[in-house]
Amino acid sequence: MATVNGVADALDPANSSKNTLKLENTEKRDTLIAVEKKYQARWQQNAVFNASAPSISEVPPGSCSSSDLRKKQPKHFGTFAYPYMNGRLHAGHSFTISKTEYAAGFARLQGKRVLLPLGYHCTGMPIKACADKLTDDVRKFGQNFERYVDEANGADENAEAAPAPTQAETKEDITKFSSKKSKAAAKGVQLKYQFQIMLALGIPREEIHKFADANYWLKFFPPLCKEDLNNFGARVDWRRSFVTTDANPYYDAFVRWQMNRLHAMKKVQFGSRYTIYSPKDGQPCMDHDRTEGEGIGPQEYTAMKLKVKEWAPEAAKTIQGKIPEAANVYFVPATLRPETMYGQTCCFVGPKINYGVFKVLENEYYVITRRAAWNMAFQGIFFKNSDFPRHESELQPVAELTGSSVVGTLVNAPLSVHKNGVRILPMDTVSPTKGTGVVTSVPSDSPDDFATVTDLAKKADYYGVKKEWAELEIVPIVETPSYGNLAAPFLVRKMKINSPKDVKQLAEAKDLAYKEGYYKGTMLVGDFNGEPVEAAKPKVKAALIRSGNAFDYAEPNGHVVSRSADECVVAYLGQWFLNYGENDPEWQNQVLDYVKNDMELYSSETKNGFEKNLEWLNRWACARTYGLGSKLPWDPQFLVESLSDSTIYMSYYTIAHLLHSDNFGTESGLLNIKSSQLIDEVWDYIFCRQEFSQDLVKKSGISKADLETMRREFEYWYPLDVRISGKDLIPNHLTFFLYVHLALFPREFWPRSIRANGHLMLNGEKMSKSKGNFLTLNDAITKYGADATRIALADAGDGVEDANFEEAVANQIILRMFTLKEWCESVVKDTTLRNASSNSSGDGENLNLWDRLFLNEMHTLVYDAYAAYAATDYKLALKYALYDFTSARDFYRESLAAAAVPMSRPLLLTYIRLQALLITPIAPHWADYIWQEVLGEPDTVQNARWPEGVPQPDRALTAAFAYIRATASAITSAEGAQMKRKAKGKATRYNPDLPKRLTVYAAKGYPAWQERYVELVRGYFEAQRLEDKELSATVGKMGEGKKAMPFVQGLKRRLQGGEDARQVFERKLAFEETEVLGQMLKGLRKTVG
């Protein structure tokens, strides 16, 4: 039996990263890390990242508007989603954090006041659920789990070490443990208990029992989060940190104000509605309460009641004596298309599915699956809403039937034209995990149904049914413009579907039939004959329910598991909810309009994601009875749930340091205000919802100056300039963030932009602990250092598609940055350099061509990097600011070495200075070392400015630079091609053993054929018809299509890019070609040997 010591060995957290890159020689890395530690300590010691608004003494209230103040003293306020405090930050967190970080660094270089704060999210049930599990573990096994033995698999202490638990998502989240295991894990310890999960995260066994107190989590993980981000070099103002929940009375007052105001505006309402629900927890289970099924909501059905008229013989024997003979028994199919019930010809069951007969009333019973009955138990069917069951054992059927035993049962199908009843028939594809396991058949409009009844009629003996049961008349129910009045038979025949096994084609046919019928169909029968299906559907459903022939039913539209490992259901219950969506169309349209017309969202994918979500998102349950959080002010039996207390906390950052100086609000802040003084009217004033009055001072006891100070912080830092989050938060948090900001704040303070990013893969694969392909942020920094990690994160990608952190890149960066650091150090000591500078007066020499090309390329890259940073294209910014910048230096160095000319000292010092500034947002530690210790600047590079007064790039020099590179590449490529031919034994006149001769020809003019196309494009351009399709057609008719079309497209791109038309059409090189070639001679001789 494995003791707890064996378990601890098997769950060594190092296993979670065992398959990541291993480093051998770490001397260069250690040197860079030592530099990073030095500058991190300086930044914290000097409070470099603490930012405040202009004080009311500097700019008195009323002396200028808040918008004018922001223009005069520009600011940048960016945030990312505060992390949940149930584990350490992982590399995925750091990817999102890095985007906020780079933006903050760039804004500092622009001379803005920059605020990047961070709080700690603790609201909800995950922490409480884990703490309660640990309480049980301690009770069972002792404080240090000394009584534990692994009785499940009998492993001993020498068993193969199991990797850390697989995570369903790439989150270092110990409340989201997945039981899926690799083969190695299967041989090791099964992570059945919470203490095992804690061991897998590296929590010492003797410390684990402390986590049985939910409040201990709030004290343990925030310092680790802060430590990791400081080691990352994050530019965070830690004065503004806090924990959520009522553990911090100041933040608690803020949340209660928020909910009070939303309630007063009727944005929070009470009512009964369907919601995902955990029976075990006894409360709704929203997105952040789940380990599986995030984003899944209720699927609503119409549950039909098909009364049994005559039982099949086997079923009759089974139920005999178990239900009263006079009882009404109903098969209950769940349908999404009640308007088609006129066409029912039979009812399907899964022949291998087990069904229960469940008592509803004294004389009424339903035949459905256990799963469906369990869902109905929370919808007022078997239990009252005030008395929900906690365990399935509380709901037992009076009898159980196999699907095969009920085949042939005659039932009455409400609305069906077949008044004598329809038969229960077998269907192999009925799912026991969707709907009720009973499916009513409408072969006129359902391709699946038509294919099945056709197959049953053909093979009646095989299926054990009578042929006539499957051959009831199929009557037209809905007229459609594309598929006639029998859409299903039409599509099955058209798509050549031969049997129910043609699953793929049937799925496609089903989709076509449903969309055509719903959006374009017209009813042909019933009380709503002639009406559009879209209008008739709800009317048919309502009529069925009124008549007692149907009822509402809902279930999760997918598999949902709570953090307490409970499979969730859908409950219909009274609850407090935020009235998002179509029930408040004015609010919904306000947000939708802002997203469409005013917000910067950086990508069309993000914008489309918001628009789609805003169209379907509906009411959201905002209160819980279990977990951690702030109490609902007007109904304190409830807690505000985790996605509802985190919508506008960014505004709290603006004044947090004034209220308290620790995470828990136990120590007062700069203004010495007590939490009890923060009445709702104070928040209204701070957030510009009401103006100042002496009555406010009297009621709150807060002085006018203190109130104005708090308001100044808010109205200066707000609006939020950018919110950066993972794309998975668009369906919930980010949309709620917009809804509540627009509801509570004046328009001037609405968020300006949201940047959503994809998830982060590691070495091209999804991060997985069980596969050993996982890194925490601490792992990455320890392994590669902060700057190498930051550069690799920038290199990983920028879009909403998933990015990739390559450890090989991080490892290569160590060498690159170390080598570059040493080179910079050597330059300032090098006495062999020329003194040539761009200022030719005084003692400086005139710049040669290579000097001018190098200087011009640096100017070009300064502008390119600025544009990339401004567009938040950090991979591109990294390319310009590091890779291309060092490439320009290498070209300069190699060109002058070939020409036997020393490099220019002033230019190299300019290069070093620009290199430090351009890379500062991404690699600040390296940049600060170069800035202060190599260049001798007195202050940190964090306070430096983006290069100012940089001349615009010279077009002639840019063209010459590109020409030289292209020409040199063409020559070496030509030689390489000849070498390849020779190696393959192909005929060639090239002999590498003989002396080489290189001849470069410079043409005096362009080919005559090009002139014809230049004139053609000129004509279309002057007629403003450049986009005319006729241009392409004309080019195709002129005879040189293969080479002419790319040439014409190149001219169009230059014109559309804004290049001067005269330069495009005159077609003169911007430089003297022969002169440049003459300058290249020495270098070419060396290149070709």
Side-chain angles (χ1 to χ4, degrees):
M1 295 291 185
T3 66
V4 70
N5 290 325
V7 171
D9 293 340
L11 297 180
D12 183 351
N15 286 321
S16 64
S17 58
K18 65 183 179 183
N19 292 330
T20 58
L21 188 67
K22 302 295 184 291
L23 303 188
E24 296 178 358
N25 187 345
T26 64
E27 181 182 352
K28 294 179 176 63
R29 179 203 68 184
D30 296 342
T31 299
L32 293 176
I33 288 179
V35 168
E36 292 167 356
K37 296 299 181 189
K38 176 180 179 179
Y39 281 92
Q40 287 164 5
R42 282 191 187 179
W43 297 337
Q44 294 303 316
Q45 181 180 352
N46 297 326
V48 171
F49 307 129
N50 291 359
S52 297
S55 69
I56 59 173
S57 59
E58 293 174 288
V59 183
S63 62
C64 73
S65 68
S66 56
S67 59
D68 285 342
L69 178 58
R70 293 191 293 270
K71 289 175 185 175
K72 292 175 182 176
Q73 301 194 39
K75 61 86 182 181
H76 171 87
F77 179 22
T79 65
F80 57 92
Y82 51 16
Y84 199 76
M85 289 296 100
N86 54 358
R88 295 194 81 151
L89 301 179
H90 58 70
H93 285 119
S94 61
F95 181 58
T96 299
I97 292 166
S98 71
K99 306 302 182 188
T100 322
E101 251 294 299
Y102 306 150
F106 179 58
R108 292 183 71 94
L109 286 171
Q110 293 174 294
K112 298 177 180 179
R113 298 192 191 207
V114 174
L115 177 57
L116 173 53
L118 183 67
Y120 308 107
H121 200 196
C122 307
T123 307
M125 54 176 292
I127 289 174
K128 176 64 173 168
C130 289
D132 289 350
K133 290 177 187 176
L134 281 174
T135 299
D136 290 341
D137 290 353
V138 169
R139 185 169 57 250
K140 288 177 183 176
F141 307 121
Q143 178 171 298
N144 294 322
F145 316 102
E146 58 275 5
R147 296 196 299 273
Y148 172 80
V149 291
D150 186 14
E151 68 283 348
N153 57 20
D156 59 31
E157 293 190 22
N158 298 316
E160 182 179 352
T166 301
Q167 300 291 328
E169 299 176 275
T170 54
K171 291 187 178 179
E172 176 68 357
D173 179 346
I174 58 183
T175 64
K176 270 200 167 186
F177 171 65
S178 166
S179 62
K180 297 178 183 176
K181 295 180 284 294
S182 66
K183 290 181 180 179
K187 295 177 182 177
V189 176
Q190 293 182 359
L191 298 179
K192 179 179 178 181
Y193 299 104
Q194 184 66 38
F195 84 86
Q196 296 171 318
I197 299 172
M198 308 298 282
L199 282 171
L201 287 177
I203 306 296
R205 177 164 58 95
E206 296 75 14
E207 298 290 315
I208 291 176
H209 70 90
K210 297 177 182 177
F211 290 85
D213 176 5
N215 289 319
Y216 186 71
W217 298 64
L218 280 60
K219 298 173 184 176
F220 183 84
F221 285 112
L224 294 179
C225 177
K226 181 178 179 179
E227 177 187 328
D228 288 347
L229 288 176
N230 279 338
N231 291 339
F232 187 61
R235 301 171 174 92
V236 176
D237 182 349
W238 294 110
R239 300 174 305 156
R240 300 170 186 263
S241 297
F242 57 88
V243 296
T244 66
T245 76
D246 54 7
N248 183 322
Y250 293 91
Y251 186 76
D252 184 56
F254 166 74
V255 172
R256 286 187 282 109
W257 162 80
Q258 170 190 335
M259 299 309 293
N260 275 333
R261 290 299 175 255
L262 290 170
H263 187 221
M265 298 168 70
K266 300 190 185 307
K267 304 300 183 186
V268 177
Q269 298 181 6
F270 188 86
S272 294
R273 59 188 289 271
Y274 290 115
T275 190
I276 304 295
Y277 183 89
S278 166
K280 181 178 180 181
D281 300 329
Q283 66 176 6
C285 182
M286 307 311 286
D287 279 0
H288 283 190
D289 303 328
R290 305 173 187 177
T291 59
E292 192 175 337
E294 189 168 327
I296 290 174
Q299 173 65 66
E300 297 183 34
Y301 294 92
T302 303
M304 301 292 296
K305 296 170 66 173
L306 277 59
K307 184 178 178 180
V308 174
K309 300 179 72 173
E310 175 188 308
W311 284 103
E314 186 178 343
K317 290 180 182 177
T318 301
I319 66 168
Q320 189 173 10
K322 295 179 180 177
I323 61 174
E325 290 187 11
N328 295 318
V329 183
Y330 299 90
F331 280 78
V332 183
T335 181
L336 294 171
R337 303 196 63 186
E339 76 282 2
T340 65
M341 293 301 97
Y342 300 98
Q344 295 175 89
T345 64
C346 64
C347 180
F348 295 126
V349 295
K352 297 178 181 178
I353 295 175
N354 291 320
Y355 295 87
V357 181
F358 293 89
K359 184 177 180 180
V360 185
L361 300 170
E362 193 58 40
N363 210 35
E364 187 169 319
Y365 297 80
Y366 292 165
V367 180
I368 48 179
T369 59
R370 280 182 177 268
R371 175 185 168 279
W374 186 235
N375 265 277
M376 290 180 187
F378 300 88
Q379 297 168 31
I381 304 298
F382 303 112
F383 294 85
K384 294 179 180 179
N385 285 354
S386 59
D387 190 28
F388 285 158
R390 285 296 183 99
H391 193 271
E392 288 188 58
S393 61
E394 297 177 57
L395 178 66
Q396 294 295 332
V398 298
E400 292 187 287
L401 299 164
T402 61
S404 59
S405 71
V406 301
V407 169
T409 297
L410 183 67
V411 295
N412 177 62
L415 296 187
S416 174
V417 297
H418 299 288
K419 301 301 181 184
N420 294 325
V422 301
R423 297 286 177 173
I424 302 292
L425 297 180
M427 188 183 202
D428 290 331
T429 56
V430 171
S431 171
T433 59
K434 190 171 184 178
T436 61
V438 181
V439 180
T440 192
S441 171
V442 184
S444 59
D445 292 86
S446 169
D448 290 281
D449 296 352
F450 180 75
T452 300
V453 295
T454 301
D455 195 51
L456 287 169
K458 284 181 183 177
K459 305 173 185 177
D461 291 340
Y462 173 81
Y463 288 110
V465 301
K466 293 182 180 180
K467 186 178 182 182
E468 58 268 25
W469 291 351
E471 289 187 326
L472 294 186
E473 181 185 0
I474 300 173
V475 297
I477 302 299
V478 174
E479 180 71 45
T480 67
S482 301
Y483 313 132
N485 58 21
L486 292 171
F490 177 90
L491 285 166
V492 167
R493 290 166 187 144
K494 179 183 178 182
M495 298 175 71
K496 298 180 180 178
I497 296 171
N498 297 314
S499 83
K501 295 180 181 179
D502 295 335
V503 178
K504 186 177 179 180
Q505 299 98 307
L506 280 169
E508 183 181 351
K510 178 182 178 181
D511 188 55
L512 291 171
Y514 180 80
K515 287 180 178 177
E516 178 81 5
Y518 183 73
Y519 292 109
K520 299 179 181 178
T522 303
M523 296 297 298
L524 296 176
V525 296
D527 294 341
F528 309 103
N529 184 2
E531 292 192 20
V533 168
E534 196 170 358
K537 179 176 179 175
K539 296 177 183 178
V540 175
K541 177 176 181 175
L544 281 164
I545 293 174
R546 278 197 307 271
S547 66
N549 287 315
F551 58 92
D552 286 311
Y553 168 68
E555 64 184 24
N557 192 25
H559 191 58
V560 180
V561 179
S562 75
R563 289 178 184 264
S564 59
D566 186 32
E567 184 172 349
C568 293
V569 298
V570 166
Y572 188 75
L573 47 83
Q575 58 187 287
W576 292 104
F577 57 83
L578 277 154
N579 199 31
Y580 301 137
E582 61 186 10
N583 295 292
D584 190 337
E586 183 180 353
W587 196 16
Q588 180 188 40
N589 291 329
Q590 181 187 43
V591 179
L592 193 56
D593 179 70
Y594 191 63
V595 165
K596 287 181 176 180
N597 301 312
D598 295 295
M599 281 209 80
E600 172 60 67
L601 294 168
Y602 300 96
S603 75
S604 57
E605 295 92 337
T606 298
K607 187 172 184 179
N608 292 336
F610 273 109
E611 289 179 7
K612 290 178 181 177
N613 191 53
L614 284 164
E615 287 168 1
W616 71 259
L617 179 70
N618 215 317
R619 293 168 169 171
W620 184 267
C622 62
R624 301 284 178 277
T625 56
Y626 175 81
L628 305 179
S630 296
K631 290 182 172 63
L632 208 56
W634 62 88
D635 197 352
Q637 64 175 313
F638 290 106
L639 300 169
V640 182
E641 64 93 28
S642 63
L643 281 167
S644 298
D645 84 335
S646 56
T647 54
I648 58 167
Y649 66 86
M650 313 84 198
S651 62
Y652 186 81
Y653 283 138
T654 64
I655 45 89
H657 63 303
L658 303 176
L659 301 178
H660 52 85
S661 58
D662 69 323
N663 289 337
F664 294 89
T666 57
E667 300 173 15
S668 60
L670 297 176
L671 299 183
N672 201 29
I673 293 171
K674 297 177 181 178
S675 61
S676 58
Q677 294 176 277
L678 294 172
I679 59 177
D680 286 352
E681 292 84 352
V682 168
W683 297 108
D684 286 335
Y685 174 76
I686 294 171
F687 298 136
C688 302
R689 290 171 52 86
Q690 73 175 43
E691 293 309 311
F692 176 79
S693 70
Q694 286 297 333
D695 187 55
L696 181 59
V697 174
K698 184 178 179 180
K699 288 177 68 176
S700 67
I702 302 174
S703 71
K704 180 181 180 182
D706 287 350
L707 289 167
E708 289 177 336
T709 296
M710 290 190 285
R711 181 160 175 158
R712 166 59 56 79
E713 286 282 332
F714 169 74
E715 65 182 7
Y716 177 72
W717 290 116
Y718 251 58
L720 187 65
D721 293 286
V722 62
R723 176 68 171 171
I724 298 179
S725 293
K727 62 184 178 182
D728 55 309
L729 295 183
I730 292 175
N732 43 61
H733 163 70
L734 289 175
T735 300
F736 303 167
F737 157 82
L738 289 177
Y739 261 113
V740 181
H741 267 86
L742 269 61
L744 291 182
F745 297 122
R747 187 182 179 92
E748 177 186 349
F749 304 110
W750 293 357
R752 286 178 175 165
S753 72
I754 294 174
R755 190 188 189 286
N757 55 258
H759 300 127
L760 187 70
M761 296 188 294
L762 180 60
N763 302 323
E765 297 181 0
K766 183 177 179 180
M767 282 196 286
S768 168
K769 282 186 166 185
S770 65
K771 294 179 181 178
N773 188 52
F774 191 88
L775 284 178
T776 64
L777 176 56
N778 181 59
D779 291 336
I781 295 169
T782 302
K783 196 171 189 178
Y784 301 109
D787 281 342
T789 298
R790 293 169 68 104
I791 291 171
L793 287 168
D795 189 74
D798 284 305
V800 294
E801 66 278 359
D802 289 350
N804 181 36
F805 183 95
E806 282 286 353
E807 289 192 278
V809 170
N811 193 33
Q812 291 161 9
I813 287 297
I814 293 172
L815 177 60
R816 177 184 284 270
M817 301 312 287
F818 180 84
T819 305
L820 187 56
K821 167 183 166 293
E822 288 202 321
W823 180 84
C824 292
E825 291 167 339
S826 70
V827 165
V828 299
K829 301 172 185 176
D830 194 338
T831 59
T832 66
L833 300 173
R834 286 185 298 123
N835 196 36
S837 72
S838 56
N839 179 10
S840 58
S841 61
D843 59 354
E845 303 172 17
N846 290 327
L847 298 182
N848 62 37
L849 174 64
W850 307 108
D851 295 335
R852 287 185 283 120
L853 289 173
F854 180 41
L855 184 61
N856 186 70
E857 183 64 6
M858 287 194 289
H859 293 166
T860 300
L861 291 171
V862 168
Y863 282 99
D864 289 344
Y866 187 96
Y869 277 125
T872 72
D873 291 334
Y874 300 116
K875 185 179 178 74
L876 192 58
L878 176 67
K879 175 181 180 293
Y880 296 139
L882 180 62
Y883 300 134
D884 288 356
F885 218 70
T886 52
S887 179
R889 179 212 59 177
D890 294 343
F891 174 82
Y892 176 62
R893 182 169 54 181
E894 291 159 10
S895 298
L896 285 184
V901 176
M903 293 184 288
S904 163
R905 176 183 178 84
L907 284 191
L908 292 184
L909 290 176
T910 297
Y911 166 83
I912 294 171
R913 184 179 190 83
L914 292 176
Q915 177 66 93
L917 289 171
L918 266 60
I919 202 63
T920 291
I922 296 174
H925 310 85
W926 186 93
D928 216 356
Y929 174 85
I930 297 299
W931 189 253
Q932 295 193 62
E933 300 192 34
V934 175
L935 296 175
E937 292 288 345
D939 193 14
T940 172
V941 77
Q942 300 277 14
N943 293 331
R945 296 292 175 264
W946 187 265
E948 297 174 342
V950 175
Q952 288 288 334
D954 184 305
R955 195 176 68 84
L957 290 172
T958 300
F961 186 78
Y963 174 85
I964 290 169
R965 283 192 156 181
T967 302
S969 176
I971 290 169
T972 54
S973 297
E975 184 177 19
Q978 294 300 320
M979 293 288 286
K980 284 183 181 178
R981 286 183 64 85
K982 188 173 181 64
K984 293 179 180 179
K986 295 182 179 180
T988 176
R989 294 169 58 190
Y990 176 73
N991 187 343
D993 299 326
L994 297 177
K996 297 175 185 175
R997 177 175 178 175
L998 172 66
T999 304
V1000 180
Y1001 296 93
K1004 291 184 177 180
Y1006 289 101
W1009 68 268
Q1010 290 187 1
E1011 296 299 331
R1012 296 199 301 276
Y1013 292 97
V1014 168
E1015 291 307 312
L1016 176 68
V1017 174
R1018 188 200 300 271
Y1020 274 86
F1021 177 75
E1022 291 175 351
Q1024 296 184 343
R1025 295 173 56 200
L1026 205 57
E1027 298 298 329
D1028 200 321
K1029 292 181 180 178
E1030 186 183 321
L1031 173 59
S1032 298
T1034 304
V1035 172
K1037 295 174 183 176
M1038 289 175 66
E1040 290 101 359
K1042 261 191 176 178
K1043 57 184 178 182
M1045 191 62 74
F1047 176 70
V1048 169
Q1049 292 298 333
L1051 293 176
K1052 285 178 63 177
R1053 277 194 297 273
R1054 291 172 65 188
L1055 291 166
Q1056 292 164 341
E1059 189 173 341
D1060 190 302
R1062 287 175 299 178
Q1063 293 177 351
V1064 174
F1065 294 128
E1066 285 175 8
R1067 308 183 70 223
K1068 291 181 180 178
L1069 284 178
F1071 56 91
E1072 180 53 53
E1073 186 176 13
T1074 54
E1075 181 183 328
V1076 170
L1077 285 170
Q1079 293 282 339
M1080 292 177 64
L1081 282 179
K1082 285 186 178 180
L1084 289 175
R1085 287 194 184 103
K1086 184 173 181 180
T1087 299
V1088 299

